[in-house]
Amino acid sequence: MTSASSSSTHSDPAANSFQVDLRGLVDLLSHHLYSSPRVYVRELLQNAVDAVTARQALDPEAEIRIRLSASAGRVTIEDSGIGLTAAEAHSLLATIGRSSKRGGEHGLETTRREFLGQFGIGLLACFVVARQIRVITRSARDPRAAPVEWLATDDGSYTVRELPDDARREPGTTVILQARPGAEEWTVPAKVEQLARDYGSLLPYDITFTEGESGDEGSGGGEPRGITDRPAVWDRPFPTPAARRVALAGHCAQLFGFTPLDSIDLDLPVAGVRGVAYVLPEPTSPAHRAGHRVHLKGMLLTDHADNLLPDWAFFVRAVIDTDTLRPTASRENLYDDETLSAVREALGARVRAWLAELAASEPERLAAFLSVHHLGVKSLARHDAELLGLMLPWLPFETSEGSMSLQEFTAAHSEVHFTRTVEEFRQIAPIAAAHGLGVINAGYTYDADLLALLPTVRPDLKVTELDAGAVTERLDPVPTSAELALAPFLSTARTRLEAQGCDVVLRAFQPVSVPALYLDDRQARQERDRTAALDSADSLWSGILGALRGSAPRARLVLNHNNPLIRRISALPDEALTGTAVESLYGQALLMSQRPLRPADSTLLNRAFLGLLEWATHSTDSQEGQK
């Protein structure tokens, strides 16, 4: 350990400042921090708005103005804000990370919450398009201070000098950007105006744009045009609710390019959030994460925020203004923290409440919405039993009796059967309908989850996955005498399909055109997997797996006694041909079920096909020989 006395004999190391390569930093900003050079307009507007906000805090009676102008290669913005002294220009404009918006600094007592800027990057971001930035400013805090010129170039150098008093008589700041080679497109007047409207339409101060050359004082040629458009359309008064809906629909078409099915107010005063969600007029994938438009204190933050609403609300596009949510460092998205999580949950509750209101008072509008977006509501309802109960009369499901709501279906069936795959439903639906068996197709997204939740809403209902036994029991039995007469045929059929793990039963069912029905369920598939594992296991595992055999269910091939082909096959005198025909029936029923084929099934299909060809050609040869 070094003693205090010995350590005092060594001189303290000299403090040094980091040296920053401005060109390298600008490249970092333009290619990694910011998504596009377009953000320079936002930075100009942001600095001007913060300056006039500080000026109003100092002098509430001060005249407030922000003027933006542009010509090819030059952009100017003038504000009547707080301004800077020479010392402040040195300290604030040239020090990366330093911000005048920190409370109390340089005599400014306004809290940071009132400002847009949070990270002190400031004018540095403008170098993504500028080769030179000129700032002419006069302080409102120190009336005796002379006007100041701060001039910086993209090589990292800058100068600060005081100007004569007549260079700028009124407090405030003028910023002039000269475009660097290759960035002229970003200073074209039409582009600058469009970006200013995009970013600043909801800002709290009147901002004007003028096209043409402008001097240091920002007095450009041409007629000034307003940039801001306040209040936001969702906050404006309208004579009737219908007029408001029309205005919101027009706003949505202008902003997002579609006419909405409906609009949902997103009003969270406690969280400082105001806005509206627009319902998409066409179905969209649940996997698609919509980009929402977020303004922070009136300034556009992003138009692709994908973490603003819950994932299940993929059927809306939202636009909001907030003063509480935190931006990321680039100020181009929302920081996902606890505040955003709470706001996201509250906004989701607003969407849910809108659905409940439609269900209670406007069923026609709800039906129109669900005809397009039932998938989104199902996604929400699977986590919300109360909402599921509310939506039961409206949510459509595919059933063995056609498309209908669960409420309609359960009015006729106290026991609900469902299939987990669309293919299984397609095969069984016509037969189930003919025999009074209620089956729902749960092969679509979220439907199985909703059916699992259904008993919590309707305890009187029994919901079970469809199994082979339930279907077989609903089919008409064959008279005992007929089944006894066909016993040899059934024995041959069962022997042939034993290797496939499939039983054979005889029933009479509709439609007559279906000769055979392949019935399978999850338990039967598990038994086949167990058997396959048993065949490939060593002696120890064979004993363990064999002990689990018990009376596990198996797949079933149900032969239709009403079908003429089945009757002809059952009467064949040739046992080998009968077996080949049964294998063909099995293969055809398996293909109709659209299940994936196992290697053993493919082998059986090939064998049956070749066997039938051999029998057909052999019969033809025999007939020709007799001639």
Side-chain angles (χ1 to χ4, degrees):
M1 177 180 294
T2 303
S3 66
S5 59
S6 62
S7 64
S8 63
T9 63
H10 299 284
S11 60
D12 293 333
N16 294 285
S17 298
F18 285 105
Q19 300 299 309
V20 177
D21 178 1
L22 186 57
R23 288 185 185 274
L25 188 56
V26 168
D27 180 71
L28 178 68
L29 290 172
S30 58
H31 292 97
H32 300 284
L33 183 61
Y34 296 131
S35 61
S36 166
R38 71 198 300 266
V39 299
Y40 88 93
V41 174
R42 182 196 66 195
E43 295 296 332
L44 289 176
L45 292 173
Q46 178 174 288
N47 286 343
V49 169
D50 287 341
V52 297
T53 299
R55 177 72 182 279
Q56 278 204 322
L58 180 70
D59 179 9
E61 302 301 321
E63 179 187 355
I64 296 302
R65 66 180 182 278
I66 300 174
R67 300 170 181 168
L68 180 66
S69 62
S71 61
R74 178 182 172 113
V75 176
T76 302
I77 187 167
E78 179 203 5
D79 67 69
S80 59
I82 196 69
L84 298 172
T85 63
E88 290 168 352
H90 272 293
S91 174
L92 300 176
L93 297 182
T95 305
I96 296 168
R98 194 75 172 272
S99 174
S100 64
K101 292 130 193 164
R102 295 188 176 96
E105 193 166 325
H106 299 290
L108 182 61
E109 301 300 331
T110 308
T111 62
R112 291 185 68 194
R113 180 184 176 87
E114 297 179 27
F115 295 100
L116 298 173
Q118 298 286 315
F119 297 92
I121 294 175
L123 286 176
L124 188 63
C126 294
F127 277 116
V128 298
V129 299
R131 65 175 177 82
Q132 182 189 82
I133 301 176
R134 185 184 183 204
V135 178
I136 300 172
T137 182
R138 185 162 196 162
S139 175
R141 287 189 295 269
D142 185 357
R144 295 170 297 177
V148 176
E149 178 194 68
W150 181 87
L151 184 66
T153 58
D154 61 358
D155 64 1
S157 64
Y158 76 94
T159 61
V160 177
R161 66 187 179 100
E162 292 189 350
L163 301 175
D165 279 351
D166 59 355
R168 184 180 184 100
R169 294 184 177 86
E170 297 297 325
T173 301
T174 299
V175 179
I176 306 106
L177 306 185
Q178 294 289 345
R180 59 184 174 85
E184 292 87 356
E185 63 175 300
W186 296 103
T187 61
V188 172
K191 170 68 78 174
V192 175
E193 183 177 9
Q194 179 259 319
L195 291 176
R197 292 183 187 279
D198 203 32
Y199 279 116
S201 62
L202 298 184
L203 287 173
Y205 305 107
D206 290 335
I207 301 172
T208 61
F209 174 81
T210 305
E211 182 175 343
E213 294 288 342
S214 59
D216 291 352
E217 295 300 316
S219 55
E223 192 69 26
R225 296 188 288 271
I227 293 297
T228 49
D229 185 22
R230 303 185 318 275
V233 63
W234 55 82
D235 283 330
R236 295 174 190 169
F238 293 95
T240 64
R244 185 173 189 270
R245 278 200 295 269
V246 170
L248 289 173
H251 177 253
C252 178
Q254 182 182 16
L255 206 60
F256 295 125
F258 65 85
T259 300
L261 278 179
D262 209 339
S263 56
I264 308 167
D265 282 319
L266 303 177
D267 183 11
L268 303 175
V270 175
V273 173
R274 286 283 294 155
V276 64
Y278 295 115
V279 181
L280 293 166
E282 297 177 351
T284 186
S285 167
H288 174 68
R289 294 177 69 87
H292 306 293
R293 191 175 176 91
V294 177
H295 296 258
L296 180 62
K297 303 181 183 73
M299 180 74 77
L300 177 67
L301 183 71
T302 179
D303 55 7
H304 52 266
D306 59 4
N307 55 357
L308 179 66
L309 290 176
D311 290 343
W312 55 260
F314 54 83
F315 50 84
V316 300
R317 294 284 299 277
V319 53
I320 68 162
D321 188 22
T322 175
D323 59 10
T324 58
L325 299 178
R326 289 175 56 197
T328 57
S330 66
R331 295 193 287 277
E332 293 190 288
N333 214 330
L334 292 172
Y335 188 78
D336 212 333
D337 55 9
E338 292 181 358
T339 302
L340 177 58
S341 179
V343 167
R344 181 165 50 236
E345 184 177 344
L347 293 178
R350 284 283 186 268
V351 178
R352 183 188 178 283
W354 169 79
L355 285 171
E357 289 169 10
L358 286 188
S361 59
E362 300 187 71
E364 287 147 5
R365 285 175 65 197
L366 178 64
F369 164 75
L370 288 177
S371 67
V372 179
H373 293 299
H374 59 272
L375 201 58
V377 179
K378 285 182 177 181
S379 173
L380 172 58
R382 67 199 173 110
H383 299 299
D384 190 332
E386 183 181 350
L387 182 64
L388 176 59
L390 185 68
M391 292 289 112
L392 273 181
W394 310 103
L395 288 177
F397 286 80
E398 186 177 11
T399 79
S400 52
E401 298 176 12
S403 179
M404 61 179 62
S405 70
L406 284 179
Q407 182 162 300
E408 293 172 315
F409 183 79
T410 55
H413 301 279
S414 59
E415 185 172 2
V416 177
H417 298 278
F418 67 92
T419 63
R420 288 191 178 272
T421 66
V422 175
E423 294 77 19
E424 187 178 2
F425 176 81
R426 294 280 187 268
Q427 184 194 25
I428 201 64
I431 297 167
H435 293 269
L437 183 65
V439 181
I440 294 178
N441 181 4
Y444 296 123
T445 307
Y446 308 133
D447 284 4
D449 293 336
L450 291 179
L451 291 174
L453 189 62
L454 187 56
T456 64
V457 179
R458 292 279 304 277
D460 56 310
L461 294 177
K462 181 181 179 183
V463 179
T464 58
E465 184 176 353
L466 187 69
D467 59 59
V471 178
T472 307
E473 289 172 6
R474 286 300 185 102
L475 304 181
D476 296 334
V478 176
T480 303
S481 57
E483 188 159 7
L484 287 174
L486 296 176
F489 162 68
L490 293 173
S491 176
T492 300
R494 287 167 182 148
T495 301
R496 279 298 185 105
L497 298 183
E498 174 64 30
Q500 310 306 122
C502 181
D503 288 334
V504 178
V505 296
L506 187 66
R507 292 289 187 273
F509 58 86
Q510 301 295 325
V512 175
S513 59
V514 178
L517 176 65
Y518 181 80
L519 295 178
D520 198 7
D521 54 38
R522 184 167 52 181
Q523 290 179 316
R525 290 190 289 273
Q526 290 173 344
E527 172 61 14
R528 283 200 305 275
D529 292 341
R530 190 205 60 78
T531 302
L534 177 63
D535 293 340
S536 60
D538 57 27
S539 57
L540 173 62
W541 282 107
S542 293
I544 295 173
L545 293 170
L548 299 175
R549 179 183 296 274
S551 57
R554 299 170 44 152
R556 298 184 184 187
L557 182 68
V558 184
L559 302 178
N560 188 359
H561 190 250
N562 291 337
N563 183 271
L565 178 62
I566 296 296
R567 296 195 178 194
R568 287 197 297 272
I569 292 175
S570 66
L572 289 173
D574 187 336
E575 183 177 336
L577 179 59
T578 299
T580 300
V582 168
E583 289 180 338
S584 299
L585 289 170
Y586 170 83
Q588 187 264 351
L590 197 60
L591 291 173
M592 289 297 293
S593 72
Q594 300 185 36
R595 290 178 175 83
L597 297 179
R598 298 170 296 165
D601 294 329
S602 299
T603 301
L604 178 144
L605 277 171
N606 290 331
R607 183 174 67 240
F609 177 71
L610 294 175
L612 289 177
L613 284 179
E614 184 177 351
W615 178 85
T617 54
H618 177 73
S619 298
T620 302
D621 291 342
S622 299
Q623 291 173 4
E624 290 178 353
Q626 291 176 0
K627 293 179 181 178

